[in-house]
Amino acid sequence: MEMIKGIKGHGYHDELVVPIIENTAHEGELTESLTEAMRAYPRTTAILVRNHGVFVWGDSWITAKTQAECYHYLFDAAIKLHQLGLDWSIPTHGPLGNVNGLWGFSGNHSRGAKVGTLGLDYMIEPSQIQEDLEQGVAGAVPIPSNYVGKEPAIASLAAYVEAMMKTDRKLICLQQLQYHIWRTGFQSNELVGVVFEDVPEALERWQTSGIKNSQLLSVSFYV
């Protein structure tokens, strides 16, 4: 919808992803989950709190107000389409489509992006690639326009990712891509985490002693 252009960093054909977190008794207790959502989705400028409302921000009060109005319009349209029995998550236009399990640019315009997934251009920020190209970073390659076709875009993107991994670049977009690879792998059972017998008991003991969930998460990775 045209209103998506009012959201910072988004164009008419882009996919807009708004994270949803669970509500708490007090707003101050939302800090950790808000932070995690921002890190997982660095491109977002809004987060929905279930059964509460939405947080919207911008680089000025004018930008924040403009985006809030656009989000309100888009949310309202999504609800109305849902009430009409229409799938609001799948546009009937634009270049978004399924590419070997990833949702990105495609020549098939009859399919759209699934909710909760990321387009290729969302996984790797275009601004990051452009910045690397301007600075002459080794391995940085331009990503062909979506109108060229999906294969050149995928090949260029894969080459860029591999080059950044080889040089051990600490980029948020790579961390985000890693997160989605893990999530997809665990959901499809291609990846299986091994938990030793003493771990559940230790986690329960630590939680009972008052250690916060975020600390438990860090400990569980090291365990």
Side-chain angles (χ1 to χ4, degrees):
M1 296 186 178
E2 190 74 11
M3 279 293 184
I4 194 176
K5 293 166 67 175
I7 307 302
K8 184 178 180 180
H10 289 77
Y12 180 66
H13 290 300
D14 290 336
E15 177 186 13
L16 177 63
V17 178
V18 180
I20 302 176
I21 62 175
E22 300 301 325
N23 195 16
T24 59
H26 305 284
E27 285 189 344
E29 298 172 355
L30 292 171
T31 304
E32 290 187 13
S33 55
L34 281 169
T35 302
E36 291 176 3
M38 291 178 183
R39 288 175 177 171
Y41 299 92
R43 194 180 179 189
T44 189
T45 55
I47 294 177
L48 273 171
V49 181
R50 199 185 307 277
N51 298 322
H52 175 77
V54 61
F55 286 94
V56 182
W57 58 90
D59 51 15
S60 69
W61 72 265
I62 297 176
T63 303
K65 181 177 183 294
T66 300
Q67 291 189 132
E69 293 174 349
C70 292
Y71 278 117
H72 184 276
Y73 179 94
L74 292 167
F75 293 156
D76 187 53
I79 292 172
K80 289 180 178 178
L81 287 170
H82 177 74
Q83 292 173 339
L84 291 171
L86 301 176
D87 191 347
W88 53 270
S89 67
I90 302 180
T92 56
H93 59 77
L96 285 173
N98 189 292
V99 181
N100 296 329
L102 293 176
W103 288 87
F105 293 123
S106 170
N108 184 348
H109 293 184
S110 64
R111 294 177 298 178
K114 290 184 178 179
V115 178
T117 59
L118 300 177
L120 294 178
D121 61 329
Y122 189 90
M123 288 182 181
I124 305 297
E125 289 278 0
S127 58
Q128 178 67 59
I129 298 176
Q130 184 62 35
E131 180 181 337
D132 286 351
L133 288 172
E134 293 175 355
Q135 295 181 359
V137 175
V141 294
I143 307 301
S145 169
N146 52 295
Y147 298 108
V148 175
K150 66 180 181 181
E151 296 302 332
I154 292 176
S156 298
L157 186 60
Y160 174 79
V161 171
E162 290 179 1
M164 298 306 103
M165 291 172 60
K166 288 180 180 179
T167 56
D168 196 25
R169 293 280 302 279
K170 305 301 182 183
L171 301 176
I172 293 178
C173 56
L174 292 182
Q175 296 173 358
Q176 183 182 1
L177 179 58
Q178 181 184 47
Y179 162 77
H180 286 283
I181 291 174
W182 286 350
R183 185 181 67 173
T184 302
F186 283 120
Q187 289 177 342
S188 63
N189 293 323
E190 293 182 49
L191 297 177
V192 179
V194 178
V195 178
F196 295 99
E197 295 180 357
D198 61 335
V199 172
E201 180 182 347
L203 292 176
E204 184 177 353
R205 184 174 65 256
W206 294 334
Q207 189 172 32
T208 302
S209 65
I211 299 178
K212 296 181 179 180
N213 290 336
S214 59
Q215 293 173 297
L216 289 179
L217 182 61
S218 299
V219 171
S220 66
F221 276 113
Y222 284 104
V223 171

